[in-house]
Amino acid sequence: MRRTAAAALLALLTAGCGGGSAVSDYGTVVQGAKGSTVQVEVPPGQRFSLAVADNPSVGDNWDLVAVPDAKVASFISEERESAGDAPGSGGTAYFVFNSKQRGTTEVRLRNCWRCGQDKTPSTEESKQQSGEAIFAITVK
């Protein structure tokens, strides 16, 4: 009987700990891309996500360069969703935030294409393919 109770408790404690997104609500999704600046307007207290096309399997990797002004928006998490089940399928990276109080801030997402662990382009092709997506956030 103890073994069954312990197994049930373990199953309960580990439920939801598999692969998949840690955040189920992305809120308002705003799409961005390398080389662009996107204006984002949200009311206070709203969840929103900054989304960029992503394919880590080919060396395409996005990072949050710096968190925004914490008085205006707070960073929650980075999530990825694949566009397919086949190896090498691209997808989308979502950087999830909550808006706070009225104000403006900027979020920069950096794409370092085939940069490896040092996060610095090592070839001319990598330098040309890398770049930033900028989001100008206004909480109204």
Side-chain angles (χ1 to χ4, degrees), residues 8-130:
L9 179 59
L10 181 61
L12 181 62
L13 291 174
T14 59
C17 292
S21 179
V23 173
S24 62
D25 177 15
Y26 294 151
T28 300
V29 176
V30 179
Q31 190 71 39
K34 276 186 277 195
S36 70
T37 299
V38 177
Q39 303 294 319
V40 180
E41 290 186 6
V42 291
Q46 180 174 324
R47 181 168 290 190
F48 65 97
S49 296
L50 308 177
V52 286
D54 188 39
N55 193 348
S57 67
V58 297
D60 193 25
N61 187 35
W62 287 91
D63 290 304
L64 180 63
V65 175
V67 294
D69 180 347
K71 294 176 186 173
V72 179
S74 61
F75 177 66
I76 297 173
S77 69
E78 178 182 346
E79 308 294 331
R80 284 189 163 61
E81 287 190 6
S82 178
D85 293 332
S89 293
T92 302
Y94 297 89
F95 294 82
V96 186
F97 298 85
N98 270 335
S99 61
K100 299 292 211 170
Q101 63 187 19
R102 296 176 196 276
T104 60
T105 190
E106 185 176 87
V107 173
R108 290 178 177 266
L109 302 179
R110 182 171 178 260
N111 178 278
C112 199
W113 191 77
R114 295 188 178 172
C115 291
Q117 296 296 329
D118 58 356
K119 308 270 183 184
T120 304
S122 59
T123 66
E124 192 57 39
E125 183 180 21
S126 179
K127 289 176 188 174
Q128 290 173 358
Q129 296 294 328
S130 298

Side-chain angles (χ1 to χ4, degrees), residues 1-10:
M1 185 69 138
R2 283 184 179 218
R3 181 174 285 172
T4 304
L9 179 59
L10 181 61

